[in-house]
Amino acid sequence: MTLADKKLRTLLRRDFIATYRDTTGEKSAGGSFAHEPKEPAPHCIRGNGESNVQLLVLAPDGRLLSVVTGFIEAKDLVEELTFARDLLRAKEPLTKERVRNAHEAFDRRLADRTFEGPLSDWSKRRARLDHRFAAKHALMPIARFRPEDLVGQGTNFFGSRKGKVELRKTVGRAPELPDR
């Protein structure tokens, strides 16, 4: 239900261009149990399904600015996207050093943050790994990005209570987000 959040949809529409790419069959792709469209999605923890979802924020020239992997709640995604947007909007030049320093500072804030739930340590670890990856690969040209360097070789599996596996092929630009 992350994309149902009005603040997140407004931020995406106003400040970002959303696209997607189908990774079915790639080394980094994971597998998931599907659920029916009208069935509620199972509860997820931050970072769950990291081989299925990798959100990359790129600078206008196609260099890697930030990454978020797996499920993320709306409030956390707003925080991550605002962080990336503010990196781009700053008056200082967009340099590898500035991007690296910003991600390292965010990682330190995450280290001090309390994550909730039974797998809170795993959620914190995944969030911190994303910022460490973005710091290490600050402003890397997107042509050099390899999902398996971020999430591994597709050995992860995420399931729901239905028990069906379904992989859908989607290619192209992400659909417009509804106002509802």
Side-chain angles (χ1 to χ4, degrees), residues 62-134:
R63 294 180 295 160
L64 186 68
L65 192 61
S66 194
V67 299
V68 176
T69 56
F71 171 78
I72 185 168
E73 291 186 12
K75 68 178 179 54
D76 295 324
L77 186 52
V78 166
E79 178 185 32
E80 294 283 352
L81 292 174
T82 300
F83 164 78
R85 182 201 61 202
D86 292 349
L87 270 174
L88 284 172
R89 288 185 173 174
K91 294 183 186 206
E92 300 86 23
L94 192 62
T95 64
K96 287 182 182 182
E97 181 180 14
R98 188 164 72 80
V99 172
R100 184 174 29 257
N101 290 342
H103 279 287
E104 289 171 352
F106 200 114
D107 177 45
R108 287 191 298 275
R109 288 193 306 273
L110 289 171
D112 294 333
R113 186 177 294 178
T114 300
F115 283 64
E116 296 179 19
L119 298 173
S120 58
D121 289 344
W122 192 90
S123 295
K124 178 186 275 194
R125 180 181 162 273
R126 182 69 256 170
R128 294 188 70 200
L129 283 172
D130 291 346
H131 284 279
R132 290 176 181 176
F133 181 90

Side-chain angles (χ1 to χ4, degrees), residues 2 41-49 70-73 116 119 123 158-159:
T2 299
H43 179 73
C44 296
I45 60 169
R46 183 172 178 160
N48 204 215
F71 171 78
I72 185 168
E73 291 186 12
E116 296 179 19
L119 298 173
S123 295
F158 173 67

Side-chain angles (χ1 to χ4, degrees), residues 18 32 104 138 156 173:
S32 294
E104 289 171 352
N156 299 317
R173 187 178 164 102

